[in-house]
Amino acid sequence: MTGRYVRDLQEVDETQVSVVGGKGAHLGGLSGIEGIRVPGGFCVTTDAFRRIMAQAPSIDDRLDELSRLEPDDREAISTLSARIRRTIEAVAVPDDLAAAITSSLVRLGEGTACAVRSSATAEDLPTASFAGQQDTYLNVMGPEAVLRHISRCWASLFTERAVTYRRRNGIDHRTVHMAVVVQRMVFPQAAGILFTADPVTGNRKVATVDAGFGLGEALVSGLVNPDVFKVRDGEVVGRTIAAKERAVHALPGGGTREVAIDSRRQEQPALTDAQAVRLVGLGRRIEAHFGCPQDIEWCLVDDDFRIVQSRPVTTLFPIPEAGDEENHVYLSVGHQQMMTDPMKPLGLSLWQLTAMAPMREAGGRLFVDATPRLASPASRAALLDVVGRGDPLIRDALETVLDRDGFVPSLPDTGPGGPPAAASGRPGAPAPIETDPAVVAELIERSRASVAALRSDIRTKSGPALFDFLLETFEEHRRVLGDPLSIQVIMAGMEATWWLNDKLGEWLGEKNAADTLTLSAPGNVTSEMGLALLDVADVIRPRAEVVAFLRGVGDEGFLDELAKLPGGTEARDAIESYLDRYGMRCVGEIDITRPRWSERPGTLVPAILDNVRNFGPGAAGRRFEEGRQKAREKEQDVLSRLRALPDGDRKADETKRMIDRVRTFIGYREYPKYGIISRYFVYKQALMEEAERLVRAGVLAEREDVFYLTFREFHDVALSQRVDERLIREREEAFRSYQALTPPRVLTSEGEAVNGAYRRDDAPAGALIGLPVSAGTVEGRARVILDMAQADLEPGDILITAYTDPSWSPLFVGIAGLVTEVGGLMTHGAVIAREYGLPAVVGVQRATRLIPDGSQIRVHGTDGYVEVLP
């Protein structure tokens, strides 16, 4: 029955999405799997849709108008999409097309009830399921009704939710076409959905079956709560039987209706355990065929399962490839580095090539395999201790996995003990060192000299020789990163912090005393960066024309324009001087492909203008001196109270030594990252010059194409002068899909995402729990900011964001408190919050969604929770 406009389901498979849409292609593929029963039917092809669209008057103009609307302009989208739907439904189905459809209906059987289902070409794809975006009609009877509902399916390509979904996923309306599936209607005793991987935890070995009586529409529409069966290894391992008060049944003359279920049947299971296990077996067959976890709609007819749809589950976080069948436990690098966004392939590969520990990629993120350290009791204890101090959620997640018998093997204590390799890749620390500021000065000088040598040596390198040079340079990069003295200093500062918090808690009942004692600690390059932008504002503030000009800045060429204004040369020099020192930084800076401040200086303009508006001259020096004075007063207070205790002189002397130690070393905590990112900017400048050469040679369409190649692939392109354009486009699409995924703190080789929980009961009901990282309590207006360039802050505001890496520090000088979704005790945001004396709570899960922008909140930085005030 192959034709231009109609194809039998048995004639199509998953390779023909462009002809019969995602649903039709998957149903055709399902039909060919041994043992899988799919109700018979046919597809009305996308050629039929294109023919209808060609006959719709003014449709092109309306699609142009639609593409210009913002995804959030719901009223305009609703109005215009309704107009487009009415236009499509008004087009008469041509006689030859109607005849082809009617002929296919006759083959299904005279008077056969049908399901008429939309099947878009951008639907049921590995990267975007589009579930529920278009329409399905059940129990449609007679050719006239089927043709009418096919027109409705065509029109449903332009429902408000489908239009908004495409706009948010960057999909052009004109590139998506609509096919329609017409199938013989099934009248089941039970129906539901099978997920071949647990949709909540992501575990690929646990299947979840949702089941209810009658048609599956009752479950899909939320009319009833389903029975839920969890199946693992051919056995039901969990079961929840719901009270199913309603069901959807087909009517004899067409259509469906809700019916009440007899009270005696409501709490009976819709499936037996044996049926659930058998259904999951079918699901595993379907999963194997399509090669990824599936979301499957099923019906039970006389103890026989019919499959009516299967689509990829697109919300699962991918699993790193291990190359074996062993169990693995992976730690998120992004949660350690304060950058949980996806990275592009060049960024991923550069971080892998320069890190101290092997890292595996999944979903555009990097992970470290912690299994060997968890397997040995001694290294396990050390790992849990260090990660627990930094982020209790990671510790809890690891303990959750360790509590499962046999998942992590237990090996004898042959592995190294001591502090583990963090997700940054740093190894454990050697013995302690003397408290000497000269040690820090020496380390900083070493780093500066190394970066200066790199800048000098790389200037003459290009083509394949550049890549060979960089591979050698990465060895030096790792040597700098793994410098034993640098690691000793970092550990000394962290251990002194822990000692002060532990001992002063024990001796004086003080919580987080080190937070005040480390205010304005010297030598912290990240906190200095925030204060330095206050100095830039001091230069700009008196120059009214410069301030007015900056308020209207819309492109990156504004620095050249500044010099034409009165006082503009001084303003430009101040900004350029700042960029000379800090211009290699940016949000998400561990990804080399992210635009640096030197490349997009306009990113800093909102923060500069906030500083001009919210501060007076000399604010940087005052802020630093106020912090230092508070720290000094806290030190005197603590020491005098200790001396009044039994054995007080000893306790005070030990504490004084630790205060000196923490103030000497804690500021250096931020310098290694500064050094890494300084080197990264040198690498990037050289690589982008190479990309520019390839553009001039006609090898690349544009420079940024290299962001979608790994370092080694980029090297190959420089050698061969050829590039795979298709690979670049595939990588672009994959990167877009990764942006919708949230990486877990801990991920197992079974795909289970484990985020941990705070095991606490010391916060008020309704409070949002997090990790206390900077002491104090503050009330203020919540400002939810996801993009630093969009910041608009007033004095007293509390910043709510997903994560803060060092590039956010310029905003810290103008806020009263900080709340983030990601973070630990020694991550950058926490360190700088303490230096500036900002009450801060990090690791507050879903904070940017649970705290309304503009609401009044109270941040309890000492106790680690946030209250949204009425």
Side-chain angles (χ1 to χ4, degrees):
M1 197 185 68
T2 297
R4 182 180 174 190
Y5 297 128
V6 177
R7 299 273 179 91
D8 194 281
L9 273 180
Q10 300 283 346
E11 297 177 310
V12 299
D13 60 28
E14 55 270 28
T15 65
Q16 297 176 53
V17 172
S18 64
V19 179
V20 295
K23 190 177 285 115
H26 275 75
L27 283 168
L30 285 165
S31 300
I33 303 173
E34 187 178 348
I36 303 300
R37 298 193 62 184
V38 176
F42 59 90
C43 301
V44 182
T45 68
T46 51
D47 273 346
F49 171 76
R50 277 187 282 268
R51 184 170 170 190
I52 295 297
M53 291 288 280
Q55 291 179 225
S58 71
I59 203 82
D60 277 343
D61 292 342
R62 287 176 182 166
L63 288 179
D64 287 339
E65 195 179 339
L66 196 61
S67 66
R68 289 193 292 269
L69 296 177
E70 290 298 319
D72 296 326
D73 191 349
R74 293 190 59 181
E75 188 176 340
I77 287 175
S78 175
T79 302
L80 186 54
S81 59
R83 196 178 302 157
I84 291 171
R85 289 196 304 277
R86 285 195 299 272
T87 302
I88 293 170
E89 287 186 45
V91 175
V93 178
D95 290 345
D96 60 328
L97 175 54
I101 293 168
T102 303
S103 171
S104 297
L105 283 171
V106 170
R107 289 190 187 88
L108 284 183
E110 204 72 51
T112 297
C114 295
V116 181
R117 315 171 72 194
S118 306
S119 180
T121 53
E123 178 180 74
D124 296 352
L125 304 177
T127 56
S129 77
F130 288 73
Q133 298 305 310
Q134 282 92 36
D135 290 350
T136 286
Y137 301 97
L138 300 178
N139 204 29
V140 180
M141 303 183 75
E144 187 180 328
V146 168
L147 288 169
R148 186 167 65 250
H149 285 88
I150 287 172
S151 288
R152 288 181 180 173
C153 285
W154 287 328
S156 76
L157 190 64
F158 298 98
T159 61
E160 182 183 343
R161 62 187 173 181
V163 166
T164 303
Y165 190 96
R166 287 196 294 273
R167 289 288 286 122
R168 289 197 171 135
N169 282 274
I171 296 167
D172 184 346
H173 301 300
R174 293 175 192 276
T175 63
V176 184
H177 301 111
M178 180 67 81
V180 182
V181 176
V182 180
Q183 282 178 285
R184 187 178 286 111
M185 185 70 190
V186 173
F187 302 99
Q189 288 83 48
I193 301 165
L194 160 63
F195 296 94
T196 62
D198 190 313
V200 177
T201 69
N203 194 315
R204 308 308 202 262
K205 295 201 171 181
V206 176
T208 300
V209 178
D210 289 0
F213 294 124
L215 292 166
E217 293 305 293
L219 269 58
V220 174
S221 65
L223 181 64
V224 297
N225 290 324
D227 296 340
V228 180
F229 299 85
K230 302 276 186 185
V231 178
R232 180 180 179 126
D233 297 330
E235 181 184 351
V236 174
V237 294
R239 182 192 305 99
T240 303
I241 305 304
K244 300 169 287 295
E245 297 177 0
R246 316 282 295 170
V248 174
H249 284 177
L251 292 170
T256 62
R257 69 167 180 175
E258 293 176 24
V259 297
I261 295 176
D262 186 287
S263 59
R264 289 166 296 184
R265 287 189 66 217
Q266 287 179 6
E267 296 195 23
Q268 288 181 7
L271 292 178
T272 65
D273 282 7
Q275 287 171 329
V277 168
R278 181 154 48 94
L279 174 61
V280 169
L282 297 175
R284 293 291 178 217
R285 233 181 260 188
I286 294 168
E287 180 183 64
H289 176 84
F290 289 117
C292 63
Q294 296 288 301
D295 163 357
I296 298 165
E297 292 181 26
W298 56 270
C299 296
L300 181 68
V301 183
D302 300 328
D303 197 35
D304 190 15
F305 287 104
R306 311 291 170 86
I307 305 301
V308 294
Q309 187 164 334
S310 186
R311 62 169 74 92
V313 183
T314 59
T315 55
L316 299 174
F317 201 87
I319 306 171
E321 287 185 19
D324 60 35
E325 296 300 315
E326 303 298 318
N327 291 341
H328 294 271
V329 182
Y330 301 103
L331 293 183
S332 162
V333 173
H335 285 81
Q336 297 288 319
Q337 291 295 333
M338 295 299 94
M339 214 295 273
T340 52
D341 294 345
M343 296 166 68
K344 291 175 183 161
L346 186 61
L348 287 165
S349 62
L350 254 293
W351 195 260
Q352 287 172 304
L353 286 166
T354 53
M356 296 293 290
M359 294 181 181
R360 297 197 175 136
E361 183 273 335
R365 280 79 168 187
L366 291 170
F367 293 85
V368 170
D369 188 351
T371 320
R373 287 193 170 269
L374 291 171
S376 165
S379 59
R380 178 192 311 150
L383 176 62
L384 291 174
D385 180 56
V386 172
V387 299
R389 284 182 179 276
D391 186 341
L393 289 174
I394 294 180
R395 176 174 185 141
D396 186 76
L398 289 174
E399 288 177 334
T400 299
V401 176
L402 288 167
D403 284 344
R404 293 174 189 155
D405 287 344
F407 187 83
V408 176
S410 191
L411 302 176
D413 278 330
T414 53
S424 63
R426 295 194 183 98
I433 54 172
E434 290 301 310
T435 302
D436 182 359
V439 174
V440 174
E442 179 192 341
L443 285 168
I444 289 173
E445 186 48 44
R446 279 191 206 172
S447 177
R448 284 176 179 160
S450 176
V451 173
L454 170 64
R455 279 202 191 96
S456 173
D457 294 345
I458 206 169
R459 285 194 185 113
T460 58
K461 306 297 188 292
S462 65
L466 168 66
F467 294 88
D468 294 337
F469 170 78
L470 284 171
L471 286 171
E472 292 174 15
T473 297
F474 297 159
E475 296 295 326
E476 165 69 1
H477 184 117
R478 284 194 293 274
R479 189 197 64 73
V480 171
L481 187 59
D483 184 337
L485 184 62
S486 176
I487 292 162
Q488 282 179 286
V489 168
I490 292 168
M491 292 305 299
M494 290 168 64
E495 286 163 356
T497 302
W498 298 337
W499 190 96
L500 287 166
N501 282 336
D502 291 348
K503 292 298 184 183
L504 296 181
E506 177 189 338
W507 293 338
L508 298 176
E510 287 260 358
K511 278 188 178 179
N512 304 330
D515 294 1
T516 307
L517 293 167
T518 53
L519 285 170
S520 297
N524 187 315
V525 69
T526 307
S527 61
E528 288 168 359
M529 179 173 71
L531 295 174
L533 205 63
L534 287 171
D535 293 334
V536 174
D538 285 353
V539 175
I540 289 169
R541 190 179 294 106
R543 297 169 166 82
E545 288 189 49
V546 171
V547 173
F549 170 77
L550 290 176
R551 287 193 183 115
V553 163
D555 60 54
E556 298 305 333
F558 73 94
L559 287 174
D560 294 333
E561 297 297 313
L562 265 181
K564 300 172 185 175
L565 302 171
T569 301
E570 294 85 352
R572 184 190 64 188
D573 290 349
I575 294 172
E576 288 184 338
S577 175
Y578 184 87
L579 292 172
D580 286 344
R581 181 89 201 273
Y582 304 112
M584 78 294 289
R585 310 219 83 149
C586 67
V587 173
E589 62 191 9
I590 69 169
D591 182 354
I592 199 172
T593 72
R594 291 286 190 105
R596 312 284 134 175
W597 289 344
S598 288
E599 296 168 324
R600 287 193 190 164
T603 306
L604 290 171
V605 169
I608 293 171
L609 290 173
D610 281 350
N611 289 347
V612 166
R613 185 176 69 247
N614 297 334
F615 295 94
R622 281 197 308 278
R623 285 287 297 270
F624 189 79
E625 189 51 44
E626 284 167 9
R628 191 161 60 178
Q629 187 62 34
K630 283 180 186 173
R632 192 179 298 126
E633 290 168 2
K634 183 68 173 179
E635 176 182 330
Q636 291 166 352
D637 171 61
V638 163
L639 295 178
S640 66
R641 287 161 60 201
L642 284 172
R643 288 196 176 95
L645 298 176
D647 197 19
D649 287 343
R650 179 188 63 80
K651 290 172 179 172
D653 289 347
E654 284 185 22
T655 300
K656 171 61 176 164
R657 280 197 299 275
M658 284 299 176
I659 291 172
D660 290 346
R661 195 166 179 79
V662 81
R663 290 192 68 80
T664 298
F665 291 139
I666 201 66
Y668 179 75
R669 166 72 180 80
E670 293 291 295
Y671 201 88
K673 185 74 168 284
Y674 176 80
I676 291 169
I677 300 307
S678 297
R679 297 181 72 87
Y680 260 43
F681 192 38
V682 179
Y683 304 157
K684 181 176 187 180
Q685 288 172 310
L687 288 169
M688 295 319 288
E689 285 176 19
E690 185 61 28
E692 187 61 54
R693 277 191 284 274
L694 290 168
V695 170
R696 289 197 299 270
V699 177
L700 292 175
E702 51 188 85
R703 290 193 324 161
E704 286 71 21
D705 281 353
V706 298
F707 293 166
Y708 297 99
L709 301 173
T710 67
F711 179 84
R712 296 189 192 285
E713 288 166 347
F714 190 178
H715 189 179
D716 290 343
V717 171
L719 282 166
S720 68
Q721 297 290 295
R722 288 195 304 275
V723 71
D724 184 347
E725 283 285 343
R726 184 182 50 81
L727 176 67
I728 289 171
R729 301 289 86 84
E730 284 174 3
R731 294 264 180 85
E732 278 184 306
E733 186 181 332
F735 178 75
R736 274 197 297 272
S737 73
Y738 297 152
Q739 290 174 310
L741 300 175
T742 301
R745 285 173 167 80
V746 172
L747 181 66
T748 75
S749 49
E750 292 184 347
E752 183 176 2
V754 193
N755 280 302
Y758 294 108
R759 311 294 175 177
R760 292 171 45 188
D761 55 7
D762 58 347
L768 304 178
I769 306 295
L771 178 65
V773 295
S774 186
T777 301
V778 65
E779 287 186 23
R781 179 179 68 153
R783 290 308 318 274
V784 178
I785 297 173
L786 300 178
D787 180 354
M788 180 181 157
Q790 305 301 318
D792 181 14
L793 295 161
E794 299 288 343
D797 283 351
I798 297 169
L799 174 62
I800 318 293
T801 193
Y803 62 81
T804 59
D805 60 9
S807 68
W808 285 77
S809 301
L811 297 187
F812 283 24
V813 297
I815 58 176
L818 173 70
V819 179
T820 67
E821 295 180 340
V822 174
L825 193 62
M826 298 308 295
T827 48
H828 303 281
V831 171
I832 306 308
R834 289 195 290 273
E835 290 239 351
Y836 286 172
L838 300 173
V841 181
V842 302
V844 180
Q845 301 199 65
R846 301 178 62 232
T848 58
R849 283 165 281 183
L850 295 176
I851 299 174
D853 184 45
S855 62
Q856 283 293 119
I857 65 171
R858 185 182 297 125
V859 176
H860 296 262
T862 306
D863 295 312
Y865 62 90
V866 180
E867 294 177 281
V868 179
L869 303 176

